[in-house]
Amino acid sequence: MIFNGKFDSPDGEPFVRQVSLTSNGSCAEDQQQLPVGDFLSFLLKLLVCSNEAFGAQIRETVKDLIGRELDATLYPQLFQLLKEYVDKFFDPNLQVQASDENTMFVEHAIQVLKQILENNTEEDESAEHLGVMSIEELILAIVRYVRRLDPSPTNTYVMNIKVQVCRLLSKMMVRRDILSFRQEIWFRNKLVGYLSDWILMFSHDGPVNDIKALTRDLDEASMDAMAVLLEGLPLQPEEGDLGDIMEAKSDLFLKYFTLFMNLLNETSEGEEEKSNGVKTPTTTDNVNANLRTYTIQAMTNLLNANIDSGLTHSISLGYHQDVQTRAAFIEVLTKILQQGTEFDTLADTVLADRFDRLVGLVTMLGDKGELPIAMALANVVSSSQMDELARVFVAVFDAKHLLYQLLWNMFSKEVEIADSLQTLFRGNSLASKIMTYCFKMYGAIYLRGLLEGLVSDMMSPDLNAISYEVDPKRMDQDENLERNQRNLIELTEKFFSTIIKSVIKFPAQLRSVCHCLYQVVAQRFPQNAFGAVGSAIFLRFINPAIVSPYEHGIVEPKPSARVERGLKLVSKILQNIANHVYFKEQHMTEFNNFLKDHFKDARSFFHEIASDNTLPDTTNTSTAFILESNILALHRLLWNHQEKMGAFLSSSRDHRAVGRRPFDKMITLLAYIGPPEHSRLALDSQWGSMDFTSNNFDDMFTRRNFHNEEDLKHIKSLNIFYQEGFSKAGHPVFYYIARKYKCSQVEIDALIYHIRMTLKPHKKPYEVVLDCTNLGPDNRFKQQHLTRWKVFPEWLNQNLNGVYVYNCNSWLKEYVKRNEKFFSPLKGSCKLVFVESVTKLSEYIESNQQHLPKSTLALDEDPKVFTNALKLSETHRDIRVSIKVGSTAMQVTCMEKTKIMSQHVLLNDIYHASEIKEVTFVDETQFTVFLRDGRMISFMHQECEEVARTIQRIKTKWERSRRQGAPAVHSKIRPKDVPGTILNMALLNLGSNDPCLRSAAYNLLCALTATFNLKMEGQLLETSGLCIPANNTIFIVSISKTLADNEPHLTLEFLERCISGFSKISIELKHLCLEYMTPWLRNLARFSKRAEESKRFGLTVVLDKLISMTIDEVQMYPSIQAKVWGNIGQVEDLIDCVLDSFIKTSVTGGGQPRVEVMADTAVALASANVKLVSAKVIDRLCQKLNKTCLSPTATLEKHLMWDDIAILTRYLLMLSFKNCLDVKNNLPKLFHIVVMLASTGPLPLRASLHGLVINIIHSLCTCSPSEFSDETQKILHLGLTEFSLPKFYQMFGISKVKSAAVTAFRSSYRERPAGQTAEIMPLSYLEAITDALLEIMEACMRDIPDCKWLHEWTMLSFNFAFQHNPALQPRAMVVWGCISKTSSTSQVRDLLLYLAESVQNMDWQSDQQPGDSPLHKLLFWVAVAVLQLEEQSLYAAGLQMMEQNIHCLDEQGAFNSKSPEKILMHVREPLEEWHFKQMDHAVGLSFKFNFNFALVGHLLKGFRHLSQAVVSRTIRILNLMLEIVSKHRNCDQFDVNVESVPYLAALLPYSEEVRSRCSMRKNCPPITPSPWKLTTRSLPCLIPSRRSHPQRN
């Protein structure tokens, strides 16, 4: 093919050249061949040929020639040349140098690349050349150039180029398998980010149809490219300022997903216009249809690849108000299910699973035993990291039982590249290090047992002085050479023989290593394979331990110099035996005979340990056996070398064939796992034991108790301070990222502690990079905290070699000025350097050693720069600045340096797009930027409009990628939640009025059942164009019922999602939702077993959400009550759980309305099963009352159970209407509850109890009227009337209310309102209420055969009467006394014994009651009543009570002016008639006729008591009373008078003092009233005989 013509050179000068292409592709010119590179370069120059006549034809011809005719072997060179040309279009600061010629070249380069990719398929032999060189950098350079061209929609030329770029990217991803990528995930993420800027760039409402069509074409092409780029692409965001990579990933997902939804809304609006009759061109309709298809595919791929971070953000779209949005999202979900998305990534264990898969990829074997990933990493890792990689490889492959395969591959590579056998394993290759690590790992115990005895003998006192030196130049004068040689031979013989004999003990793992080594070496050096094994064993394993036994932990202490010399010489001889070579050194030739004699034995030893091997089981085991540190190290090594690994695997066809797919999986996994932590220094868990040189530092943290590992891990995870790379001076570099420190969120002491911990291992000089990008008030150190930085030890300050302040801004300048006193020591310091760019930083730290955060570097990525701007100021002079507008922020850099700490600095202020509120024009050259914090910045620039439009564009882009309002974040979704979530969405949207949405929902349902193998018995079949009617409720409910029957395990998750989405849907759909929820409710019983805590917890969660839905959904309240709670009430096993949830909801807050809803819901619950629910509620309330006895309180309102009791009482009131309490079966318990709680609590609760009684009687009258006689009915009606009387209002404590029914539903029934005092209920009221209820019960019992109501009620009261409970026990005793028709002797005895025990346990101290309290006087009579009983144990208690009581009254001065008789009888008078009179008559002693004689009569029983303590107490009481009766008379206590004579008479036999001081006068007046009315039964008690005393019997 011949080209003859006149062409213009690139500079426009014409020249004539004849070029021929021979058949074999060679180039000839004037019989001389041009180099291929020059030829390609010439062709590329012709792509921008500017010849007026033939330029266009030449460009098209050359473009087709390169794209279609170029030999495939030249593709790598072509790509390299294209990259070199495009790179020239950027200046040193990476700013685009746009020109017409450059743009033309880029356009044709795009077309050439597209043609090449279209012409080569995977089946073509030429396709393999496409993968020789990575085109990532070339593509990125082209895209970066194009995105900086004029963005105006009127520039159709640029718009067309962007469309071509998108189509090139689409074609590139189609040919992805034949191309090679080094950083594919990062590369595709970059492209997605760039293309997102081109979507919805302009409003489509403009008047020019051509522009609208062109922007639509760009949207379509962009989304087509985005869809293929996002397929299987895990998002890889720049690190967020808070260090949370998952949060940054979620934000990035939300940005893209929102952008796509906005684009779909745009297309939907166009469809609506068409449906409304607006005519649109056919081409526009096709573009919209394609655009919608591409957008949905892109959303599908985005969500599919990022399900863990995306599903929670997007799932709410299934309930979106906009029908088109819902339909689009449902299509996305359908495609995701059809693609087989793995929802296991939603599990909490996903990170561990991904690490496990990463280890599996590294250890994966190829068809021929290759290890593509492991070998790729081994080939690219640096020598400084080989030791770590060797350790990790051995640990990982050994845990997977694949160590033999690793050794085979490593040894094979080493043997392959070895020059000769002598150089084999002699260097520090990875294979040598792996071998050494294996020897160290598996042979340590063997070596210790082998050498410890030998070396210890050499170190013994007897042998320690022996010399083994055989070099005459190093011998002492008194040493004998021959003797030393013999010593060395004997010693070597010992070592050698010991080693040879230990062949049986040689570790099995090391035999496997030796066997593998032998097999590999034998393939290339078959004659010397065993020799290679022996050489390696001694060189890498045995000899190092012999030479350094102390370092290997074999002996202690370190051997002497002579012993060390002897060991070194022994190892030298042994190594030569292993190598099978003789000595050539003069002083060692004497040992050649020794070598010769031992060659054979050594060879036998090597043969023995290398020839016999049992291959290990290669079954993979879990990575749980691998230390976490090894897995993390493997992750770090793979992450840092993935680009080099990609290049290595692309370097040859064989490598690509074996390693391409595993490598793709690996980089995808790495992207999901995320980057390793910046700091490679593991924090020691024993921080408290570390040695710090500053006592103040230790004291501070000890005082603050700051040793919380979780807090420090959090600080570390923020990556505020970390170490990476080295400076040009070789010092480690530390980075402090100022914006990541939030003074309101991070403890300053914790930060200082973390920084010191990170610096501590570095005892040598170090350097710090201080990244001040976007530094502001939130990141400052408060003034009181600045001094804390002085706690650093002096050595840290001395070792600080330099501080590089990057991106200093105006705020930092002001901060330094405000704290000048603190920063003054740094003025003029040579260690402090301000750098304004990465290029400047490179003067101190090489670019490949710089590790600034990606978010910092991204600010300078492809910015649009406007120089010579003027920043206006009202208070200072105007400042010359340059404005750089990037993709997310605006930078304002001062062109004039400012002085900070005696240094001249360029300030760089950064304003993120989120900070910009508005951009407005002032005039043609001036504009103002308004910030959201109220500040405004004014600028002047010649291109004012262009600058302002560029700033406005990044603001609009940021707003466009954010949802309106707060983003809807769904609750965490687990893998098991997915079927239930999607099922609810499908069923719900099947009921939509939109036919497209119904069809989409049906297809989603089909995909769901197919994906999760849900049993639908052939009822569903995905069909295109299926017409589904709007009224399909019966179909939806039938589907739900079938699934509820066949897949009950989905119940909890399905109901949870139904409830979660309930509030987001319309009223019509809410009714539908309740319909298809109903079949699943009965399945809840499966999860109610108490033994299965996890299932029961899930049930509780669902019930709580149902309760919340009932409370919140006011409009749906009746339907929820009927559909939900009515059905749940039919399931007996659920009632207990439901009541628990009801009570918990009522107790935990929400106020009275919340409780009323719960009470109403209890009625709905009971409507389906009255007997069951009523019995559960009543029994539960009785149980709560019983539990009050376990920890009794003075009043019921103070008990922990009070809230539960009050709530359940409220439930009883609500259930009591229309016999929902099943009164006939529960009447005894209901009456028991009423009498226990009557007149208790706040007013509404008292009214509720009164209303409960009315409703109970009403139910008896209305629900079973035929069972009762007319007389009984009459009694019931009278009961209703009686309980409505004012006197019963008073008895129930509601005397001040007008209507009990109204009061029962007022305010809180658990808390007493302020100012409302408690009314104490007299027990007489309780007696009256009990009698009235008893009358009703007895009347009904007469008409019911074998009715045992009264017996049950009696037993309930009796059980309470004998349990210590101050709040309820007195009530129970009264009720039992009122309703008990019969009582056994044992019951009465038990009652009295309990009373005695209570009395005895009381503390009768004088300070228990105030002096004017009548209680003491009444207690005297209680004691008398106890003495009147015929019970020995009770008598002792009563006597004790009486003594304390009389003492108390005497101390209070009660008897100073009046006699005991008048004081105590006055208290007794109101109760005389009915209570005391009968008791006096029964015992025959009347206190009314003679108080003192009656009292003495009861006390005389004490003299006959068996207990001496009782006798002594009786005498003390008689003496006390004798003293008391003389007080008001002011006479001697032994004076005989009317009151004293009974006590004197009683004491006469026992008191010598009474006998000596008391004499009876003959003429004394009568001492008793006449006549004494004492019965004959009491007379013997008045004069005790001496025989009656226990001591005198």
Side-chain angles (χ1 to χ4, degrees), residues 1382-1403:
T1382 60
S1383 59
S1384 64
T1385 304
S1386 61
Q1387 288 178 333
V1388 176
R1389 178 185 176 86
D1390 290 344
L1391 180 62
L1392 294 175
L1393 286 173
Y1394 188 85
L1395 180 61
E1397 183 181 354
S1398 299
V1399 171
Q1400 194 165 12
N1401 290 335
M1402 291 183 68
D1403 186 10

Side-chain angles (χ1 to χ4, degrees), residues 290 372 462 585 622 630 801 1019 1067 1076 1163 1250:
N290 292 337
D462 297 337
E585 301 151 285
S622 172
N630 287 327
N801 197 62
Q1019 296 184 37
I1067 292 292
Y1076 67 69
V1163 176
H1250 180 271

Side-chain angles (χ1 to χ4, degrees), residues 1209-1210 1212-1218 1221 1223 1230 1234 1238-1239 1243-1259 1280 1283-1284 1288-1289 1292 1294 1297 1299-1305:
T1209 304
R1210 191 65 169 181
L1212 289 184
L1213 174 65
M1214 304 298 283
L1215 291 169
S1216 61
F1217 178 69
K1218 204 164 179 63
L1221 284 178
V1223 173
L1230 289 171
V1234 169
S1239 192
L1243 203 60
L1245 185 60
R1246 299 181 180 206
S1248 297
L1249 284 161
H1250 180 271
L1252 176 61
V1253 173
I1254 297 293
N1255 284 5
I1256 290 172
I1257 301 174
H1258 182 269
S1259 295
L1280 283 174
F1283 274 98
S1284 300
F1288 273 92
Y1289 270 40
F1292 276 87
I1294 54 174
V1297 305
S1299 170
V1302 173
T1303 306
F1305 295 97

Side-chain angles (χ1 to χ4, degrees), residues 1418 1464-1476:
L1418 288 171
L1464 296 174
M1465 289 300 293
H1466 177 72
V1467 177
R1468 171 182 158 123
E1469 285 177 2
L1471 305 173
E1472 173 72 24
E1473 184 68 23
W1474 295 103
H1475 298 83
F1476 292 104

Side-chain angles (χ1 to χ4, degrees), residues 30-256:
D30 299 331
Q31 307 301 321
Q32 295 180 358
Q33 281 194 335
L34 285 174
V36 174
D38 292 344
F39 172 69
L40 289 176
S41 180
F42 174 71
L43 289 179
L44 293 179
K45 290 177 181 179
L46 291 178
L47 289 175
V48 290
C49 178
S50 59
N51 183 275
E52 293 181 2
F54 303 102
Q57 182 182 355
I58 292 172
R59 291 194 298 268
E60 290 299 320
T61 303
V62 171
K63 182 175 61 177
D64 290 341
L65 176 67
I66 299 175
R68 302 181 188 278
E69 304 295 337
L70 189 68
D71 190 89
T73 57
L74 299 179
Y75 286 161
Q77 287 179 274
L78 174 66
F79 294 159
Q80 182 62 36
L81 283 172
L82 284 172
K83 181 182 179 303
E84 291 174 2
Y85 272 96
V86 176
D87 284 345
K88 294 176 182 178
F89 302 160
F90 296 85
D91 65 15
N93 293 324
L94 300 180
Q95 298 299 306
V96 172
Q97 294 179 315
S99 67
D100 292 343
E101 183 176 313
N102 292 348
T103 303
M104 183 188 298
F105 182 87
V106 168
E107 179 190 14
H108 291 306
I110 294 169
Q111 295 170 357
V112 165
L113 289 173
K114 184 172 179 290
Q115 288 180 358
I116 290 175
L117 293 177
E118 287 175 343
N119 295 336
N120 291 272
T121 61
E122 193 170 355
E123 292 76 17
D124 295 339
E125 293 182 3
S126 60
E128 67 176 274
H129 300 287
L130 283 172
V132 173
M133 175 186 170
S134 171
I135 62 172
E136 291 167 319
E137 294 182 2
L138 171 60
I139 295 294
L140 283 177
I142 291 174
V143 176
R144 284 171 178 165
Y145 181 88
V146 173
R147 68 194 295 260
R148 284 303 169 213
L149 298 178
D150 181 14
S152 172
T154 58
N155 193 330
T156 57
Y157 178 57
V158 173
M159 296 286 282
N160 276 317
I161 293 178
K162 289 181 178 179
V163 172
Q164 292 178 41
V165 168
C166 294
R167 290 172 181 168
L168 168 63
L169 297 180
S170 299
K171 186 59 64 177
M172 178 191 71
M173 291 308 298
V174 171
R175 296 287 183 261
R176 173 176 173 270
D177 290 340
I178 61 176
L179 298 173
S180 65
F181 300 97
R182 297 182 180 181
Q183 290 181 291
E184 183 182 354
I185 301 300
W186 173 84
F187 170 62
R188 288 164 61 188
N189 268 278
K190 278 292 181 185
L191 292 177
V192 169
Y194 290 154
L195 294 188
S196 66
D197 293 342
W198 296 351
I199 299 171
L200 286 177
M201 283 184 64
F202 316 104
S203 172
H204 303 298
D205 302 329
V208 184
N209 289 333
D210 290 343
I211 295 177
K212 291 179 65 175
L214 195 56
T215 54
R216 274 298 190 212
D217 287 342
L218 179 57
D219 284 341
E220 178 188 349
S222 298
M223 287 312 304
D224 183 18
M226 289 278 269
V228 292
L229 285 169
L230 286 169
E231 185 177 359
L233 178 67
L235 294 179
Q236 209 172 42
E238 309 294 354
E239 184 182 347
D241 285 347
L242 294 180
D244 189 344
I245 195 70
M246 286 306 298
E247 183 178 347
K249 186 175 179 180
S250 295
D251 290 342
L252 188 59
F253 175 90
L254 188 61
K255 168 188 170 182
Y256 292 149

Side-chain angles (χ1 to χ4, degrees), residues 1455-1460 1521-1537 1539-1540:
F1455 307 125
N1456 289 343
S1457 58
K1458 293 183 181 180
S1459 66
M1521 287 303 298
L1522 184 61
E1523 180 182 350
I1524 287 173
V1525 296
S1526 64
K1527 280 187 178 182
H1528 73 97
R1529 290 175 174 269
N1530 294 323
C1531 64
D1532 185 74
Q1533 70 182 62
F1534 295 104
D1535 185 43
V1536 179
N1537 53 57
E1539 292 177 279
S1540 65

Side-chain angles (χ1 to χ4, degrees), residues 7 52 85 106 135 144 319 406 430 782 868 951 1005 1069 1090 1141 1199 1230 1274 1315 1343 1375 1425 1472-1473 1475 1485 1512 1535:
F7 301 99
E52 293 181 2
Y85 272 96
V106 168
I135 62 172
R144 284 171 178 165
Y319 309 100
L406 172 70
L430 182 61
K782 298 177 182 178
N868 296 322
I951 298 172
L1005 187 61
L1069 291 180
R1090 293 190 179 276
S1141 296
H1199 202 279
L1230 289 171
K1274 183 177 180 181
D1343 296 335
V1375 173
E1472 173 72 24
E1473 184 68 23
H1475 298 83
L1485 289 172
S1512 300
D1535 185 43

